[in-house]
Amino acid sequence: MKTLFSGIQPTGNLHLGNYLGAVKNWVDLQNKYSCIYSVVDLHALTGNITAKELKDNTLSLAIDLLAVGINPKKSILFRQSDVVGHTELAWIFGTLTPIAELNRMTQFKDKSEEQKNNINSGLLTYPVLQAADILLYKAEAVPIGEDQLQHLELTRVIARKFNNKYKTYFPTINPTLSPIPRVMSLNASNKKMSKSLGEPSYITLRDNKATITKKIKKAVADEAGVHNLLDLYYYFGDAKKHSTMKADFEANKLMNSKLKEELTKELIKFLKPIQTKIKHYEAHPKEVEKILANGAKQAQKIADKNLKEIKKLVGLI
Ligand code: TRP
């Protein structure tokens, strides 16, 4: 089986945008690839995050991932900073990466705008560490949301530069886009669902009934907003009911309150078994730590072997 790698930042709890846009695909790909999934805590350090938040978020994100079906018997799940080699390879890659390429990255520009008082150099070299994450395992498949395409293109450039300078070592990676297009924000139907737009923008896997009901009730119901709610209904609800409501919408007969009620009901139903699992892991954090430690051990084995070969090629050993 080919190797697959993907990562997610521990910046908060998983929301439906993360789930549909990326993580659901991670779960589905577990039978087709040898999967390595990482909670990328070193990447999260580039944002405005306290030590406590970073530590707590890392554990709770690992819990969310386990609860939606990342299976540690099938896949490697680990904390990025537990595996030595990511930062070391990132340094080597940094020496191959033109600054001009990094300056062009839209995520860098967006983040610099979002955190004007903290435009640290880690924010600029972020994609170099991302390339190291992927290539440390010589992963060929990388499931991502479409906002990460530019970073993946840069990963390919870095791999090509390495292969040209030293020896053809890294495979050509292929981004695997989630089959589900972007989920839009509930409070701004022209923007992607995102933590940065605040609580009313998104629904997390941990939201309770009252919160879900309130957020859906308040969701913007302009044309794009209704499309977004219909799409959400499509992913979580009943296909037949979805086509009826869609036809009603096109005929200008759909009651938004009905759509919202139906969607709320389906979301609560979908999240119930997930929340049961979350509760279990929250009550047994040692179990989660053990899963992460075991994942790190497996990842480290691959990383050690590859990094040794890489260092030989570069002339470091
Ligand atoms: N930059 C990615 C994001 O913000 C997270 C990430 C870090 C990642 N390393 C990765 C994704 C490696 C895929 C592969 O979503």
Side-chain angles (χ1 to χ4, degrees), residues 5-222:
F5 184 97
S6 200
I8 183 164
Q9 289 195 64
T11 45
N13 294 323
L14 265 193
H15 59 63
L16 295 181
N18 306 134
Y19 175 69
L20 291 174
V23 176
K24 181 176 187 302
N25 205 20
W26 290 17
V27 176
D28 298 340
L29 290 165
Q30 291 182 108
N31 297 322
K32 284 180 59 189
Y33 293 90
S34 184
C35 295
I36 307 176
Y37 294 125
S38 184
V39 177
V40 292
D41 52 353
L42 296 170
H43 277 108
L45 265 182
T46 61
N48 291 324
I49 191 164
T50 66
K52 176 163 175 21
E53 279 166 348
L54 183 57
K55 188 142 179 48
D56 293 351
N57 287 351
T58 299
L59 189 72
S60 62
L61 182 56
I63 289 176
D64 286 355
L65 293 173
L66 291 168
V68 293
I70 299 298
N71 182 346
K73 291 206 179 81
K74 287 187 198 162
S75 306
I76 297 178
L77 176 66
F78 76 105
R79 184 194 281 128
Q80 183 188 31
S81 65
D82 279 346
V83 173
V84 187
H86 288 251
T87 46
E88 202 171 348
L89 185 56
W91 178 263
I92 296 172
F93 283 170
T95 64
L96 295 165
T97 312
I99 293 179
E101 294 275 354
L102 297 172
N103 272 321
R104 287 195 310 116
M105 295 292 119
T106 50
Q107 186 166 313
F108 172 63
K109 291 184 207 163
D110 292 347
K111 293 280 167 193
S112 303
E113 205 43 50
E114 259 171 51
Q115 47 188 78
K116 281 202 176 75
N117 298 324
N118 181 15
I119 308 180
N120 59 81
S121 64
L123 213 50
L124 179 68
T125 56
Y126 178 113
V128 180
L129 180 58
Q130 183 163 351
D133 292 341
I134 298 163
L135 294 170
L136 184 56
Y137 303 95
K138 297 215 261 179
E140 291 177 73
V142 187
I144 41 155
E146 60 176 5
D147 62 315
Q148 291 299 311
L149 278 173
Q150 203 185 24
H151 286 168
L152 272 255
E153 193 42 53
L154 182 56
T155 304
R156 291 161 70 109
V157 170
I158 294 171
R160 216 178 298 133
K161 280 189 186 282
F162 183 99
N163 289 348
N164 286 340
K165 179 163 181 192
Y166 300 105
K167 186 189 144 188
T168 305
Y169 181 77
F170 293 115
T172 307
I173 52 158
N174 289 308
T176 316
L177 274 186
S178 161
I180 298 170
R182 322 202 272 172
V183 179
M184 306 313 276
S185 155
L186 296 175
N187 59 354
S189 54
N190 59 345
K191 293 197 180 119
K192 202 179 101 161
M193 182 178 280
S194 145
K195 269 155 232 157
S196 52
L197 293 171
E199 272 275 333
S201 154
Y202 56 86
I203 288 173
T204 80
L205 300 182
R206 295 169 183 239
D207 283 352
N208 63 24
K209 277 187 196 175
T211 308
I212 297 171
T213 309
K214 190 176 79 196
K215 285 179 180 173
I216 296 290
K217 217 178 228 165
K218 287 203 172 146
V220 187
D222 55 8

